[in-house]
Amino acid sequence: MVMGATAVVVRDILLSPDERFDVWNIKKEERPHLLSLDEEETNEEEEEEDHEERVMPLIDGCDIPGWRREHLISVSSEAKGILNVGSGCSMLRRESQLVTTTNDGSKWKILRKRLFLPPSPTKTAYRLSPDEVAKLTQPHPWFERDNVPVILEGCCTKEWSVMESCTWERLLKDYGDYDWRFSDTHGATMTMKTYTKYVNSIEGLTDDAPLAIYDSQLDMDERRSILDSYQVPPCFDGFDLFQDVVMNNPTKEVESGDSVNPPPYRWILIGPERSGTGLHIDPMGTHAWVTIVEGCKRWVLFPPTTKPVSIGMQDPQIPSSIWFSKWYPTVMPNHPNAVEVLQYPGETVYVPAGWPHLVLNLENTVAITQNYATEYPNLQQLFHSVEESEPEFFQEWLPRLKACRPDLCLPEQDEYCSCKEEKDGFDNDEKKE
């Protein structure tokens, strides 16, 4: 809550040592490169800029100061004292017992105010009205065939009970003791109760880019009901060249077919302000749609021909909050074809295949998303992307696809592989840019 020029946050919760370790464990999996920045190295760098803005350890032995090195959040002198209490000792600081103030003049407050402004009509995606969306009763609509981003209104019909059952408050109440995943690339988990504590602790309130939940394993327990609380919009509910091919196997010619596992394709996304996803391209040539249940997201999407180096797309990934703070002002003037979106609850963003994009949460946000594969915009591009990223899956998927979709003009497997080898030199060079 903002009171005048200062927001006052009073907390009556305390992360236990085990919960503190859960937070640390996920952080080290999410951004392992920050572990190499020890406190002494980080402090030396910060002292050169501003001694008063020095990064301090939050809790001895259980903190990664690099998560706050961009100082997107300015904190009061009292809070700075809290961050440094106990340096050199092993006692946990009872941070929840103290009042922390954050100044509205911080980098983040200024940036957040800017990003809440609607994008220019010439820069944002085409917006489809509820009436236009209602007419999209068949899959592969014009925007998928043209492979351009759009915003859809009216996808959340009366069947979408998810809009009430998946608010942050309801998820905490109904699934607070369940373990939630933060990535498909590692298995570290945290309960919703612990995560909510983290988000409201000094650590979560001052991290440049707080942790966010990205869970694709909801069908493994009672949270399966979340997946039953919405329906895929008809315009996205076509034949999925991954899920439908793998799940419906009409051929007996694929001897190893039982070993084919479809890639993750649907997630729930939960995160506070400043959390989000850095610049990336959705995997394996897939399209995606994202619907917000509550909160607000700011997007930037770049055409597939964009050179990664020109927009700050790199490894390790730059968190979206930091990208908007440092890269956005200089990148956007040089990329007039970039598309910006300010997305609110009930709105659905279509993400076309191959478009680099990043997303930033401007407030506590819950969203659902689903990826899918089609023959658009180019089947050969899809083949190349799958073979490049998941070669074992590709070897079993392609013959099964031929059996399921004989109507597609599919190459022989050996023929495709030989064509790919001829292109490898060009493609690999382009990927390194």
Side-chain angles (χ1 to χ4, degrees):
M1 178 181 297
V2 177
M3 300 176 61
T6 302
V8 180
V9 181
V10 182
R11 294 173 307 283
D12 58 1
I13 59 174
L14 176 66
L15 288 167
S16 70
D18 286 344
E19 290 173 326
R20 286 285 308 124
F21 177 77
D22 286 343
V23 173
W24 177 86
N25 190 46
I26 294 174
K27 281 189 171 185
K28 75 177 180 64
E29 295 290 345
E30 290 284 291
R31 298 172 206 161
H33 60 285
L34 294 181
L35 290 172
S36 62
L37 300 175
D38 60 29
E39 179 187 350
E40 180 178 356
E41 176 185 353
T42 304
N43 286 343
E44 288 177 356
E45 294 176 356
E46 299 301 332
E47 283 175 359
E48 294 178 1
E49 300 176 4
D50 187 348
H51 178 76
E52 293 301 320
E53 293 296 326
R54 181 184 305 179
V55 175
M56 297 303 240
L58 202 61
I59 291 179
D60 301 316
C62 206
D63 181 43
I64 306 176
W67 279 61
R68 298 182 303 278
R69 61 195 308 247
E70 296 297 330
H71 306 296
L72 291 188
I73 297 294
S74 298
V75 296
S76 67
S77 57
E78 293 95 336
K80 289 179 181 177
I82 295 169
L83 297 181
N84 196 32
V85 169
S87 179
C89 76
S90 59
M91 295 180 62
L92 284 175
R93 293 185 283 281
R94 298 193 64 81
E95 51 172 309
S96 65
Q97 315 259 326
L98 301 166
V99 176
T100 302
T101 62
T102 58
N103 194 299
D104 270 5
S106 67
K107 293 180 184 178
W108 167 244
K109 294 296 183 181
I110 296 171
L111 176 63
R112 182 173 182 260
K113 185 176 181 179
R114 281 182 55 198
L115 296 179
F116 261 124
L117 297 175
S120 164
T122 61
K123 294 288 292 181
T124 194
Y126 180 80
R127 182 178 290 270
L128 283 80
S129 68
D131 289 341
E132 291 176 294
V133 171
K135 296 176 182 177
L136 300 176
T137 58
Q138 299 298 318
H140 313 309
W142 63 267
F143 50 82
E144 181 188 302
R145 298 194 300 272
D146 292 346
N147 207 46
V148 294
V150 297
I151 307 166
L152 300 92
E153 300 176 351
C155 287
C156 304
T157 62
K158 61 182 180 180
E159 289 82 10
W160 279 57
S161 60
V162 69
M163 302 302 289
E164 289 77 37
S165 63
C166 282
T167 63
W168 194 311
E169 183 178 0
R170 279 290 301 274
L171 292 171
L172 179 61
K173 177 183 177 181
D174 296 342
Y175 306 106
D177 293 321
Y178 286 76
D179 287 325
W180 295 76
R181 296 170 64 93
F182 290 73
S183 174
D184 288 317
T185 62
H186 64 77
T189 62
M190 188 192 305
T191 68
M192 189 69 183
K193 286 182 178 178
T194 298
Y195 177 62
T196 302
K197 284 184 180 182
Y198 154 75
V199 166
N200 290 285
S201 71
I202 291 181
E203 185 171 1
L205 292 171
T206 58
D207 279 346
D208 294 323
L211 290 168
I213 290 173
Y214 296 87
D215 201 326
S216 64
Q217 306 297 314
L218 301 181
D219 56 347
M220 306 299 290
D221 51 46
E222 284 80 358
R223 294 175 301 167
R224 179 70 175 77
S225 61
I226 295 174
L227 302 176
D228 297 329
S229 62
Y230 67 90
Q231 292 184 347
V232 178
C235 59
F236 301 126
D237 200 18
F239 188 91
D240 188 328
L241 297 185
F242 290 157
Q243 299 301 319
D244 290 324
V245 166
V246 173
M247 302 305 292
N248 303 310
N249 179 26
T251 180
K252 298 181 179 179
E253 297 176 3
V254 184
E255 295 181 358
S256 57
D258 291 341
S259 65
V260 176
N261 293 315
Y265 72 105
R266 52 189 178 184
W267 294 260
I268 187 168
L269 316 175
I270 308 170
E273 59 184 70
R274 300 189 313 285
S275 66
T277 307
L279 271 169
H280 68 287
I281 297 174
D282 283 357
M284 298 174 67
T286 55
H287 308 260
W289 57 268
V290 181
T291 301
I292 289 185
V293 174
E294 68 174 352
C296 182
K297 291 179 180 286
R298 183 78 180 213
W299 297 68
V300 178
L301 304 95
F302 297 92
T305 55
T306 304
K307 294 182 180 299
V309 68
S310 70
I311 57 176
M313 186 173 173
Q314 62 185 48
D315 187 22
Q317 193 180 80
I318 301 172
S320 57
S321 58
I322 296 174
W323 188 93
F324 273 103
S325 175
K326 301 180 72 172
W327 289 76
Y328 179 77
T330 56
V331 167
M332 299 306 291
N334 297 322
H335 292 273
N337 293 324
V339 175
E340 296 191 65
V341 172
L342 183 62
Q343 183 188 15
Y344 285 102
E347 297 179 344
T348 300
V349 171
Y350 163 71
V351 183
W355 280 61
H357 59 280
L358 75 162
V359 192
L360 177 63
N361 293 324
L362 299 183
E363 54 191 24
N364 286 0
T365 302
V366 179
I368 55 173
T369 181
Q370 188 161 319
N371 283 47
Y372 65 99
T374 74
E375 57 267 37
Y376 300 100
N378 186 301
L379 201 56
Q380 290 294 334
Q381 290 179 8
L382 177 66
F383 291 152
H384 178 73
S385 180
V386 177
E387 203 279 338
E388 187 77 15
S389 58
E390 297 289 343
E392 293 184 5
F393 174 83
F394 175 79
Q395 294 297 322
E396 297 186 4
W397 167 73
L398 185 56
R400 186 180 289 199
L401 176 61
K402 291 179 180 180
C404 288
R405 288 292 303 272
D407 57 304
L408 297 178
C409 183
L410 298 168
E412 292 297 326
Q413 202 160 358
D414 294 340
E415 176 187 343
Y416 168 76
C417 291
S418 64
C419 292
K420 175 191 171 298
E421 290 175 1
E422 294 177 3
K423 297 180 180 179
D424 265 350
F426 172 79
D427 287 338
N428 287 339
D429 288 343
E430 187 175 36
K431 186 176 180 181
K432 292 177 183 177
E433 293 183 347

